[in-house]
């Protein structure tokens, strides 16, 4: 590649052979094999229910927000609001459209969330940066309020809580932990695959151009407003599906308060810590944010239980968690994914660095 | 520079470890009863969580160390920090549902209505009873449809009914309720909305005017709501707020000249944390109390002697002893201990598993005499749980804030359960239909 870097890239047909020859992505295939075959065989209820399912769903939500914030540069703190739309829309579809298969209900929930996201993306035509962030904050509170205020959304349940009516696919009951894990995994893998291709496509490149400098993007003929709204819609689609999975495949129930501002912050932290503008970063960020506190809790109990007072032990875990976040961000502001990439580069040249 | 930072860290760590009293390590063994506790000692609700869990732990410690366990079966517990977030409580449940080191789990204290909802189906599938006194899903008191859910003591519908019954008592009879105006000021959340159907039913029955006024979360500013209350001139206000919205409501009511002794707070608006921030405005405020405050009940004497005075209490600040949240913890612990006792009477003196735990809770029968024995007379209501009735009690006392402490002003007031039962059964039947559950036949199971 290096000798070509000062000229225009060659066309695809005339490109050097190594560009067109596709190598099998062995590490990825191994990972998928582990996820689809090994984990269902080995994993127990605790691992599936409490670790892997929430981790995958939060990764998906992070991915959704990353498309908007990391790739298009539009900061949003309304992620959980759009998750709520997805959850309540999927619930409504399953409840009110008899015989609708689950995948279609999920996609439908996503599409409705995308529509709502599109509407809340309209202000991005005129306002940018922190001001736009405030409008997404308004979206968060507005959506939370809507799903508390109007009982139609939760089918007039006395407590405002929705629960999964049925989880089945072509006659298979997906209620077992394994079934729910496979449902989540399949959705996440499919949507991640689409996202990878999306950001490599014309649309993704336009998004990144807008992120890097929207005036320049407009000058080279990209329709900035349209692409920003599109980013809002696509991002909300992902968040909506994640919200529906969170409600039905993970907890089994949800109410508006399951998707409060804290959830939005959690997702924002996932992408900041994992890495903005990176697909794999979402997974690493989600692991860090959702699994590290559990790990610390387990370690704390294993090592210090009985020696340190329980209250202080738990405060200590919070302190350690906070310090790790600061330390990682000071070390590498571009996120954990960059840290890992640097580590990989170093390892390649490891014994003979100079 | 580096060295000095390191020195500070070492210093902090050392001083922390020196400060902490050594607590005996609770290790589970197969001949012990394992109790997972989803605590919240950090996070936004820590101020209520810390005394709450202290009450529970102090009582369990008392049972283990003074009474030698339940019929000799020691209780082993393990906390997991949840910050009162539903997903962390679910994680805790999943982590410990199969017990620890061979010690089985007989029940799981969810301590959170959202978590009770989230665990509802999991508990039924894993056969682990979910205990959530004075909370939980109201219709899950119908044990025929919800075999593994126990919203003990007083459901949300029951709370509404006790509130109305107390008002009737103060007015001098149910016939006096006709034409009265009762305003419910509620926290606009699933918790706040939960009682609406019950109050509407009671309004139709007794002929009072039912006005519902929502307060948006978190409720820091309530001028609009209380201006509306002043215009309506209601006879009574039923206050179903929670957290910061309670003291703000009391203060704002005073500012608009609404008499505080005409406000009846709900269970979760009736702790010291709800009235002390309101200052003198709260003097005369009344609240429902399935777990009253106060440190002069018999059990408090015993705990003071065996736990507090020996430095074994989980409380860091002993002034919380006998406060409402501490007593909630005590009452919850006493209920589960009594249930385990009932189970052991049937299955033998050994640790119980979840299925046996369900049997135990469904045969929990704590009468006034038993309450006297365990020192909870006046603090806990007589409780009889059956297969069909997973609520058991359905009563609360009313306590009044005298500016310094809560004073009990009524005996146990029973909820009108006959009136509410059709409402609950309709909801549980709808749930059964939605999930395809065939209700159990309680008669046949005897």
């Amino acid at each position: 590649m290096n000798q070509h870097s000062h000229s225009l890239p060659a066309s695809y047909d005339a490109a050097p052979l190594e560009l067109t020859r596709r190598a099998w992505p062995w590490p990825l295939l191994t990972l998928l094999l582990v996820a689809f075959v090994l984990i269902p065989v080995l994993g127990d209820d605790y691992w599936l229910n409490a670790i892997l399912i929430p981790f995958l769903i939060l990764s998906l939500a992070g991915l959704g927000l990353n498309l908007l914030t990391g790739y298009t540069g539009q900061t949003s703190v309304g992620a959980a609001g759009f998750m709520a739309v997805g959850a309540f829309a999927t619930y409504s579809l399953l409840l009110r459209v008899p015989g609708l298969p689950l995948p279609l209900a999920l996609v439908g929930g996503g599409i409705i969330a995308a529509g709502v996201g599109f509407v809340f993306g309209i202000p991005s035509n005129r306002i940018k940066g922190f001001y736009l962030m405030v409008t997404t904050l308004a979206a968060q509170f507005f959506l939370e309020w809507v799903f508390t205020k109007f009982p139609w959304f939760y089918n007039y349940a006395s407590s405002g809580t929705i629960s999964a009516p049925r989880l089945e696919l072509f006659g298979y009951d997906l209620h077992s932990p394994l079934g729910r894990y496979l449902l989540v995994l399949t959705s996440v893998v499919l949507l991640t695959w689409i996202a990878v291709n999306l950001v490599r496509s014309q649309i993704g490149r336009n998004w990144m151009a807008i992120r890097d400098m929207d005036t320049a993007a407009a000058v080279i003929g990209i329709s900035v407003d349209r692409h920003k709204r599109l980013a809002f819609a696509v991002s909300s689609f992902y968040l909506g599906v994640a919200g529906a999975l969170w409600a039905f495949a993970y907890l089994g129930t949800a109410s508006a308060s399951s998707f409060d501002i804290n959830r939005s912050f959690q997702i924002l932290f996932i992408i900041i810590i994992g890495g903005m503008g990176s697909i794999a970063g979402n997974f690493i960020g989600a692991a860090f944010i959702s699994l590290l506190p559990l790990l610390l809790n387990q370690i704390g109990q294993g090592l210090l239980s009985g020696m340190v007072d329980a209250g202080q032990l738990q405060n200590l875990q919070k302190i350690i968690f906070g310090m790790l976040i600061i330390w990682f961000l000071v070390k590498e502001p571009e996120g954990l994914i960059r840290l890992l990439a640097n580590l990989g580069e170093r390892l390649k040249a490891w014994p003979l660095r100079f | 520079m580096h060295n000095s930072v390191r020195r500070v860290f070492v210093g902090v760590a050392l001083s922390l470890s020196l400060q902490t009293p050594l607590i005996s390590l609770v290790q589970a063994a197969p001949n012990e009863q394992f109790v997972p506790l989803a605590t919240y000692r950090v996070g936004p609700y820590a101020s209520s969580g810390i005394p709450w869990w202290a009450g529970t732990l102090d009582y369990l410690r008392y049972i283990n160390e003074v009474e030698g366990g339940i019929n000799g079966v020691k209780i082993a517990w393990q906390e997991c920090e949840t910050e009162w977030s539903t997903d962390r409580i679910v994680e805790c449940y999943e982590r410990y549902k199969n017990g620890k080191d061979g010690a089985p789990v007989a029940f799981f204290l969810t301590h959170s209505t959202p978590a009770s909802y989230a665990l509802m189906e999991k508990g039924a599938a894993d056969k682990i009873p979910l205990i959530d006194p004075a909370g939980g899903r109201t219709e899950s008191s119908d044990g025929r449809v919800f075999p593994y859910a126990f919203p003990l003591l007083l459901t949300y519908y029951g709370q509404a009914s006790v509130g109305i019954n107390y008002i009737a008592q103060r007015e001098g009879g149910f016939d006096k309720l006709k034409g009265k105006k009762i305003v419910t000021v509620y926290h606009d959340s699933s918790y706040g909305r939960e009682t609406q159907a019950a109050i509407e039913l009671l309004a139709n029955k007794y002929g009072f005017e039912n006005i519902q006024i929502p307060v948006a979360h978190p409720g820091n500013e309530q001028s609009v709501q209380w201006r509306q209350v002043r215009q309506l001139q209601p006879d009574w206000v039923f206050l179903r707020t929670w957290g910061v919205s309670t003291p703000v409501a009391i203060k704002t009511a005073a500012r608009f000249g609404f008499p505080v002794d005409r406000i009846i707070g709900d269970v979760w608006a009736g702790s010291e944390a709800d009235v002390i921030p309101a200052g003198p405005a709260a003097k005369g405020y009344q609240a429902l109390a399935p777990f009253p405050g106060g440190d002069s009940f018999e059990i408090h004497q015993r705990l003071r002697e065996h736990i507090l005075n020996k430095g074994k209490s989980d409380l860091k600040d002993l002034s919380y002893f006998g406060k409402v949240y501490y007593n909630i913890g005590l009452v919850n612990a006493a209920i589960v201990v009594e249930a385990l006792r009932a189970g052991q009477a049937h299955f033998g003196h050994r640790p119980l598993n979840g299925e046996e735990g369900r049997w135990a809770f469904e045969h929990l029968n704590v009468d006034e005499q038993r309450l006297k024995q365990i020192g909870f007379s006046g603090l806990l209501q007589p409780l009889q749980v059956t297969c069909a009735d997973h609520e058991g009690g359905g009563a609360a006392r009313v306590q009044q804030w005298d500016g310094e402490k809560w004073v009990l002003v009524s005996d146990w007031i029973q909820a009108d359960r006959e009136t509410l039962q059709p409402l609950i059964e309709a909801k549980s039947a709808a749930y059964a239909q939605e999930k395809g559950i065939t209700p159990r036949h309680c008669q046949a199971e005897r």
Side-chain angles (χ1 to χ4, degrees), chain A residues 25-59:
Chain A
W26 287 114
L28 185 68
L29 288 177
T30 320
L31 193 68
L32 285 179
L33 194 73
V34 168
F36 274 103
V37 181
L38 213 56
I39 288 176
V41 174
L42 295 180
D44 59 358
D45 270 16
Y46 173 67
W47 270 90
L48 294 178
N49 266 340
I51 304 274
L52 290 168
I53 291 177
F55 157 69
L56 285 170
I57 298 172
L58 285 175
S59 306

mmCIF file of all heavy atoms in Angstrom, chain A residues 25-59:
data_model
loop_
_atom_site.group_PDB
_atom_site.id
_atom_site.type_symbol
_atom_site.label_atom_id
_atom_site.label_comp_id
_atom_site.label_asym_id
_atom_site.label_seq_id
_atom_site.Cartn_x
_atom_site.Cartn_y
_atom_site.Cartn_z
ATOM 1 N N PRO A 25 -11.294 -14.729 7.822
ATOM 2 C CA PRO A 25 -11.035 -14.065 9.109
ATOM 3 C C PRO A 25 -11.077 -15.081 10.249
ATOM 4 O O PRO A 25 -12.070 -15.196 10.955
ATOM 5 C CB PRO A 25 -12.176 -13.051 9.207
ATOM 6 C CG PRO A 25 -13.272 -13.623 8.365
ATOM 7 C CD PRO A 25 -12.664 -14.521 7.351
ATOM 8 N N TRP A 26 -9.990 -15.836 10.393
ATOM 9 C CA TRP A 26 -9.979 -16.946 11.348
ATOM 10 C C TRP A 26 -10.328 -16.546 12.779
ATOM 11 O O TRP A 26 -11.139 -17.227 13.414
ATOM 12 C CB TRP A 26 -8.634 -17.682 11.319
ATOM 13 C CG TRP A 26 -8.502 -18.501 10.078
ATOM 14 C CD1 TRP A 26 -7.614 -18.324 9.062
ATOM 15 C CD2 TRP A 26 -9.326 -19.612 9.693
ATOM 16 N NE1 TRP A 26 -7.835 -19.231 8.068
ATOM 17 C CE2 TRP A 26 -8.873 -20.046 8.426
ATOM 18 C CE3 TRP A 26 -10.403 -20.279 10.272
ATOM 19 C CZ2 TRP A 26 -9.450 -21.113 7.746
ATOM 20 C CZ3 TRP A 26 -10.977 -21.338 9.601
ATOM 21 C CH2 TRP A 26 -10.506 -21.749 8.361
ATOM 22 N N PRO A 27 -9.734 -15.454 13.297
ATOM 23 C CA PRO A 27 -10.069 -15.132 14.695
ATOM 24 C C PRO A 27 -11.561 -14.903 14.887
ATOM 25 O O PRO A 27 -12.168 -15.382 15.850
ATOM 26 C CB PRO A 27 -9.292 -13.833 14.957
ATOM 27 C CG PRO A 27 -8.247 -13.790 13.913
ATOM 28 C CD PRO A 27 -8.783 -14.515 12.719
ATOM 29 N N LEU A 28 -12.180 -14.203 13.915
ATOM 30 C CA LEU A 28 -13.610 -13.915 14.022
ATOM 31 C C LEU A 28 -14.422 -15.204 13.964
ATOM 32 O O LEU A 28 -15.361 -15.411 14.744
ATOM 33 C CB LEU A 28 -14.022 -12.981 12.895
ATOM 34 C CG LEU A 28 -15.461 -12.501 12.956
ATOM 35 C CD1 LEU A 28 -15.642 -11.587 14.140
ATOM 36 C CD2 LEU A 28 -15.843 -11.781 11.676
ATOM 37 N N LEU A 29 -14.029 -16.084 13.049
ATOM 38 C CA LEU A 29 -14.770 -17.339 12.919
ATOM 39 C C LEU A 29 -14.656 -18.167 14.205
ATOM 40 O O LEU A 29 -15.627 -18.776 14.643
ATOM 41 C CB LEU A 29 -14.243 -18.137 11.728
ATOM 42 C CG LEU A 29 -14.616 -17.548 10.371
ATOM 43 C CD1 LEU A 29 -14.002 -18.362 9.250
ATOM 44 C CD2 LEU A 29 -16.131 -17.509 10.214
ATOM 45 N N THR A 30 -13.461 -18.161 14.780
ATOM 46 C CA THR A 30 -13.283 -18.900 16.032
ATOM 47 C C THR A 30 -14.192 -18.334 17.107
ATOM 48 O O THR A 30 -14.857 -19.071 17.836
ATOM 49 C CB THR A 30 -11.818 -18.793 16.518
ATOM 50 O OG1 THR A 30 -10.985 -18.886 15.387
ATOM 51 C CG2 THR A 30 -11.501 -19.853 17.525
ATOM 52 N N LEU A 31 -14.239 -16.996 17.160
ATOM 53 C CA LEU A 31 -15.069 -16.332 18.169
ATOM 54 C C LEU A 31 -16.536 -16.724 17.988
ATOM 55 O O LEU A 31 -17.239 -17.053 18.939
ATOM 56 C CB LEU A 31 -14.895 -14.819 18.034
ATOM 57 C CG LEU A 31 -15.430 -13.990 19.198
ATOM 58 C CD1 LEU A 31 -14.586 -14.243 20.414
ATOM 59 C CD2 LEU A 31 -15.419 -12.525 18.840
ATOM 60 N N LEU A 32 -16.983 -16.716 16.722
ATOM 61 C CA LEU A 32 -18.378 -17.075 16.457
ATOM 62 C C LEU A 32 -18.634 -18.528 16.826
ATOM 63 O O LEU A 32 -19.684 -18.867 17.376
ATOM 64 C CB LEU A 32 -18.710 -16.843 14.982
ATOM 65 C CG LEU A 32 -18.889 -15.384 14.585
ATOM 66 C CD1 LEU A 32 -19.182 -15.273 13.107
ATOM 67 C CD2 LEU A 32 -20.017 -14.751 15.382
ATOM 68 N N LEU A 33 -17.652 -19.380 16.497
ATOM 69 C CA LEU A 33 -17.800 -20.806 16.825
ATOM 70 C C LEU A 33 -17.939 -20.976 18.336
ATOM 71 O O LEU A 33 -18.812 -21.700 18.822
ATOM 72 C CB LEU A 33 -16.583 -21.567 16.309
ATOM 73 C CG LEU A 33 -16.736 -23.086 16.283
ATOM 74 C CD1 LEU A 33 -17.678 -23.472 15.160
ATOM 75 C CD2 LEU A 33 -15.395 -23.763 16.120
ATOM 76 N N VAL A 34 -17.091 -20.264 19.075
ATOM 77 C CA VAL A 34 -17.169 -20.335 20.538
ATOM 78 C C VAL A 34 -18.529 -19.859 21.005
ATOM 79 O O VAL A 34 -19.208 -20.500 21.816
ATOM 80 C CB VAL A 34 -16.039 -19.497 21.180
ATOM 81 C CG1 VAL A 34 -16.278 -19.326 22.672
ATOM 82 C CG2 VAL A 34 -14.695 -20.156 20.940
ATOM 83 N N ALA A 35 -18.964 -18.716 20.451
ATOM 84 C CA ALA A 35 -20.208 -18.114 20.926
ATOM 85 C C ALA A 35 -21.411 -18.989 20.597
ATOM 86 O O ALA A 35 -22.325 -19.117 21.409
ATOM 87 C CB ALA A 35 -20.376 -16.721 20.319
ATOM 88 N N PHE A 36 -21.424 -19.583 19.408
ATOM 89 C CA PHE A 36 -22.613 -20.320 19.000
ATOM 90 C C PHE A 36 -22.607 -21.776 19.433
ATOM 91 O O PHE A 36 -23.652 -22.390 19.558
ATOM 92 C CB PHE A 36 -22.782 -20.259 17.478
ATOM 93 C CG PHE A 36 -23.512 -19.047 17.017
ATOM 94 C CD1 PHE A 36 -22.836 -17.985 16.457
ATOM 95 C CD2 PHE A 36 -24.886 -18.955 17.175
ATOM 96 C CE1 PHE A 36 -23.515 -16.856 16.048
ATOM 97 C CE2 PHE A 36 -25.570 -17.823 16.759
ATOM 98 C CZ PHE A 36 -24.878 -16.776 16.202
ATOM 99 N N VAL A 37 -21.410 -22.357 19.596
ATOM 100 C CA VAL A 37 -21.356 -23.794 19.884
ATOM 101 C C VAL A 37 -20.829 -24.071 21.288
ATOM 102 O O VAL A 37 -21.490 -24.737 22.087
ATOM 103 C CB VAL A 37 -20.478 -24.528 18.834
ATOM 104 C CG1 VAL A 37 -20.452 -26.005 19.141
ATOM 105 C CG2 VAL A 37 -21.017 -24.263 17.444
ATOM 106 N N LEU A 38 -19.665 -23.510 21.577
ATOM 107 C CA LEU A 38 -19.007 -23.891 22.826
ATOM 108 C C LEU A 38 -19.767 -23.366 24.041
ATOM 109 O O LEU A 38 -20.011 -24.098 24.998
ATOM 110 C CB LEU A 38 -17.577 -23.344 22.816
ATOM 111 C CG LEU A 38 -16.551 -24.221 23.534
ATOM 112 C CD1 LEU A 38 -16.563 -25.619 22.946
ATOM 113 C CD2 LEU A 38 -15.176 -23.609 23.427
ATOM 114 N N ILE A 39 -20.186 -22.078 23.986
ATOM 115 C CA ILE A 39 -20.851 -21.492 25.156
ATOM 116 C C ILE A 39 -22.184 -22.178 25.453
ATOM 117 O O ILE A 39 -22.464 -22.519 26.600
ATOM 118 C CB ILE A 39 -20.997 -19.971 24.980
ATOM 119 C CG1 ILE A 39 -19.614 -19.336 25.136
ATOM 120 C CG2 ILE A 39 -21.957 -19.381 26.004
ATOM 121 C CD1 ILE A 39 -19.581 -17.867 24.897
ATOM 122 N N PRO A 40 -23.027 -22.424 24.429
ATOM 123 C CA PRO A 40 -24.270 -23.146 24.754
ATOM 124 C C PRO A 40 -24.010 -24.511 25.371
ATOM 125 O O PRO A 40 -24.801 -24.982 26.189
ATOM 126 C CB PRO A 40 -24.961 -23.281 23.398
ATOM 127 C CG PRO A 40 -24.460 -22.138 22.618
ATOM 128 C CD PRO A 40 -23.044 -21.936 23.046
ATOM 129 N N VAL A 41 -22.901 -25.163 24.984
ATOM 130 C CA VAL A 41 -22.621 -26.474 25.556
ATOM 131 C C VAL A 41 -22.120 -26.341 26.986
ATOM 132 O O VAL A 41 -22.543 -27.077 27.878
ATOM 133 C CB VAL A 41 -21.590 -27.225 24.680
ATOM 134 C CG1 VAL A 41 -21.177 -28.518 25.349
ATOM 135 C CG2 VAL A 41 -22.176 -27.498 23.307
ATOM 136 N N LEU A 42 -21.221 -25.360 27.209
ATOM 137 C CA LEU A 42 -20.554 -25.277 28.510
ATOM 138 C C LEU A 42 -21.249 -24.361 29.504
ATOM 139 O O LEU A 42 -21.199 -24.595 30.698
ATOM 140 C CB LEU A 42 -19.110 -24.787 28.313
ATOM 141 C CG LEU A 42 -18.197 -25.722 27.524
ATOM 142 C CD1 LEU A 42 -16.814 -25.110 27.399
ATOM 143 C CD2 LEU A 42 -18.110 -27.080 28.208
ATOM 144 N N GLY A 43 -21.879 -23.289 28.965
ATOM 145 C CA GLY A 43 -22.362 -22.244 29.873
ATOM 146 C C GLY A 43 -23.482 -22.726 30.786
ATOM 147 O O GLY A 43 -24.337 -23.506 30.382
ATOM 148 N N ASP A 44 -23.491 -22.248 32.009
ATOM 149 C CA ASP A 44 -24.612 -22.573 32.893
ATOM 150 C C ASP A 44 -25.559 -21.377 32.952
ATOM 151 O O ASP A 44 -25.326 -20.345 32.329
ATOM 152 C CB ASP A 44 -24.110 -22.956 34.289
ATOM 153 C CG ASP A 44 -23.315 -21.842 34.935
ATOM 154 O OD1 ASP A 44 -23.132 -20.796 34.278
ATOM 155 O OD2 ASP A 44 -22.888 -22.010 36.076
ATOM 156 N N ASP A 45 -26.632 -21.539 33.688
ATOM 157 C CA ASP A 45 -27.665 -20.505 33.766
ATOM 158 C C ASP A 45 -27.089 -19.155 34.160
ATOM 159 O O ASP A 45 -27.453 -18.136 33.594
ATOM 160 C CB ASP A 45 -28.711 -20.888 34.833
ATOM 161 C CG ASP A 45 -29.807 -21.701 34.213
ATOM 162 O OD1 ASP A 45 -29.578 -22.197 33.088
ATOM 163 O OD2 ASP A 45 -30.856 -21.854 34.840
ATOM 164 N N TYR A 46 -26.196 -19.178 35.155
ATOM 165 C CA TYR A 46 -25.676 -17.906 35.655
ATOM 166 C C TYR A 46 -24.935 -17.170 34.559
ATOM 167 O O TYR A 46 -25.138 -15.985 34.335
ATOM 168 C CB TYR A 46 -24.764 -18.151 36.857
ATOM 169 C CG TYR A 46 -24.066 -16.901 37.319
ATOM 170 C CD1 TYR A 46 -24.799 -15.871 37.871
ATOM 171 C CD2 TYR A 46 -22.698 -16.746 37.180
ATOM 172 C CE1 TYR A 46 -24.172 -14.705 38.281
ATOM 173 C CE2 TYR A 46 -22.067 -15.592 37.583
ATOM 174 C CZ TYR A 46 -22.809 -14.572 38.132
ATOM 175 O OH TYR A 46 -22.194 -13.414 38.528
ATOM 176 N N TRP A 47 -24.068 -17.897 33.851
ATOM 177 C CA TRP A 47 -23.286 -17.241 32.805
ATOM 178 C C TRP A 47 -24.168 -16.708 31.695
ATOM 179 O O TRP A 47 -23.974 -15.602 31.200
ATOM 180 C CB TRP A 47 -22.245 -18.213 32.241
ATOM 181 C CG TRP A 47 -20.996 -18.100 33.014
ATOM 182 C CD1 TRP A 47 -20.651 -18.803 34.125
ATOM 183 C CD2 TRP A 47 -19.944 -17.174 32.773
ATOM 184 N NE1 TRP A 47 -19.445 -18.360 34.589
ATOM 185 C CE2 TRP A 47 -18.982 -17.373 33.776
ATOM 186 C CE3 TRP A 47 -19.717 -16.190 31.814
ATOM 187 C CZ2 TRP A 47 -17.814 -16.612 33.845
ATOM 188 C CZ3 TRP A 47 -18.550 -15.443 31.888
ATOM 189 C CH2 TRP A 47 -17.611 -15.650 32.895
ATOM 190 N N LEU A 48 -25.154 -17.502 31.289
ATOM 191 C CA LEU A 48 -26.008 -17.053 30.197
ATOM 192 C C LEU A 48 -26.886 -15.898 30.644
ATOM 193 O O LEU A 48 -26.930 -14.843 30.019
ATOM 194 C CB LEU A 48 -26.885 -18.215 29.711
ATOM 195 C CG LEU A 48 -26.139 -19.376 29.058
ATOM 196 C CD1 LEU A 48 -27.121 -20.459 28.672
ATOM 197 C CD2 LEU A 48 -25.375 -18.910 27.835
ATOM 198 N N ASN A 49 -27.610 -16.088 31.769
ATOM 199 C CA ASN A 49 -28.625 -15.130 32.200
ATOM 200 C C ASN A 49 -28.049 -13.832 32.697
ATOM 201 O O ASN A 49 -28.580 -12.763 32.434
ATOM 202 C CB ASN A 49 -29.428 -15.729 33.360
ATOM 203 C CG ASN A 49 -30.661 -16.407 32.863
ATOM 204 O OD1 ASN A 49 -31.106 -16.128 31.765
ATOM 205 N ND2 ASN A 49 -31.201 -17.296 33.656
ATOM 206 N N ALA A 50 -26.997 -13.937 33.480
ATOM 207 C CA ALA A 50 -26.565 -12.759 34.228
ATOM 208 C C ALA A 50 -25.332 -12.105 33.635
ATOM 209 O O ALA A 50 -25.020 -10.973 33.962
ATOM 210 C CB ALA A 50 -26.297 -13.135 35.679
ATOM 211 N N ILE A 51 -24.600 -12.805 32.795
ATOM 212 C CA ILE A 51 -23.365 -12.227 32.276
ATOM 213 C C ILE A 51 -23.480 -11.980 30.769
ATOM 214 O O ILE A 51 -23.360 -10.847 30.298
ATOM 215 C CB ILE A 51 -22.159 -13.172 32.541
ATOM 216 C CG1 ILE A 51 -22.056 -13.487 34.020
ATOM 217 C CG2 ILE A 51 -20.891 -12.586 31.974
ATOM 218 C CD1 ILE A 51 -21.299 -12.518 34.834
ATOM 219 N N LEU A 52 -23.726 -13.042 30.010
ATOM 220 C CA LEU A 52 -23.583 -12.913 28.560
ATOM 221 C C LEU A 52 -24.743 -12.163 27.922
ATOM 222 O O LEU A 52 -24.536 -11.330 27.042
ATOM 223 C CB LEU A 52 -23.436 -14.309 27.935
ATOM 224 C CG LEU A 52 -22.096 -14.952 28.290
ATOM 225 C CD1 LEU A 52 -22.079 -16.415 27.922
ATOM 226 C CD2 LEU A 52 -20.964 -14.220 27.592
ATOM 227 N N ILE A 53 -25.977 -12.449 28.371
ATOM 228 C CA ILE A 53 -27.117 -11.783 27.731
ATOM 229 C C ILE A 53 -27.055 -10.266 27.938
ATOM 230 O O ILE A 53 -27.098 -9.508 26.971
ATOM 231 C CB ILE A 53 -28.457 -12.393 28.221
ATOM 232 C CG1 ILE A 53 -28.588 -13.820 27.677
ATOM 233 C CG2 ILE A 53 -29.628 -11.558 27.777
ATOM 234 C CD1 ILE A 53 -29.830 -14.545 28.144
ATOM 235 N N PRO A 54 -26.916 -9.777 29.186
ATOM 236 C CA PRO A 54 -26.831 -8.319 29.321
ATOM 237 C C PRO A 54 -25.626 -7.727 28.619
ATOM 238 O O PRO A 54 -25.708 -6.632 28.043
ATOM 239 C CB PRO A 54 -26.766 -8.084 30.832
ATOM 240 C CG PRO A 54 -26.454 -9.382 31.427
ATOM 241 C CD PRO A 54 -26.942 -10.434 30.495
ATOM 242 N N PHE A 55 -24.515 -8.450 28.635
ATOM 243 C CA PHE A 55 -23.311 -7.941 27.964
ATOM 244 C C PHE A 55 -23.573 -7.739 26.468
ATOM 245 O O PHE A 55 -23.270 -6.689 25.898
ATOM 246 C CB PHE A 55 -22.151 -8.914 28.191
ATOM 247 C CG PHE A 55 -21.063 -8.839 27.167
ATOM 248 C CD1 PHE A 55 -20.238 -7.732 27.104
ATOM 249 C CD2 PHE A 55 -20.875 -9.867 26.252
ATOM 250 C CE1 PHE A 55 -19.242 -7.658 26.147
ATOM 251 C CE2 PHE A 55 -19.884 -9.792 25.296
ATOM 252 C CZ PHE A 55 -19.067 -8.678 25.237
ATOM 253 N N LEU A 56 -24.178 -8.745 25.831
ATOM 254 C CA LEU A 56 -24.436 -8.637 24.394
ATOM 255 C C LEU A 56 -25.417 -7.515 24.091
ATOM 256 O O LEU A 56 -25.243 -6.764 23.126
ATOM 257 C CB LEU A 56 -24.987 -9.968 23.866
ATOM 258 C CG LEU A 56 -23.957 -11.083 23.711
ATOM 259 C CD1 LEU A 56 -24.641 -12.403 23.421
ATOM 260 C CD2 LEU A 56 -22.976 -10.743 22.599
ATOM 261 N N ILE A 57 -26.466 -7.383 24.930
ATOM 262 C CA ILE A 57 -27.468 -6.360 24.639
ATOM 263 C C ILE A 57 -26.875 -4.967 24.814
ATOM 264 O O ILE A 57 -27.115 -4.068 24.007
ATOM 265 C CB ILE A 57 -28.705 -6.550 25.541
ATOM 266 C CG1 ILE A 57 -29.346 -7.911 25.253
ATOM 267 C CG2 ILE A 57 -29.718 -5.461 25.288
ATOM 268 C CD1 ILE A 57 -30.450 -8.275 26.205
ATOM 269 N N LEU A 58 -26.087 -4.796 25.871
ATOM 270 C CA LEU A 58 -25.466 -3.484 26.060
ATOM 271 C C LEU A 58 -24.485 -3.184 24.932
ATOM 272 O O LEU A 58 -24.346 -2.029 24.512
ATOM 273 C CB LEU A 58 -24.764 -3.423 27.419
ATOM 274 C CG LEU A 58 -25.704 -3.286 28.607
ATOM 275 C CD1 LEU A 58 -24.932 -3.360 29.911
ATOM 276 C CD2 LEU A 58 -26.475 -1.978 28.550
ATOM 277 N N SER A 59 -23.799 -4.225 24.425
ATOM 278 C CA SER A 59 -22.905 -4.002 23.285
ATOM 279 C C SER A 59 -23.695 -3.501 22.096
ATOM 280 O O SER A 59 -23.267 -2.588 21.381
ATOM 281 C CB SER A 59 -22.196 -5.299 22.899
ATOM 282 O OG SER A 59 -21.550 -5.850 23.991
#
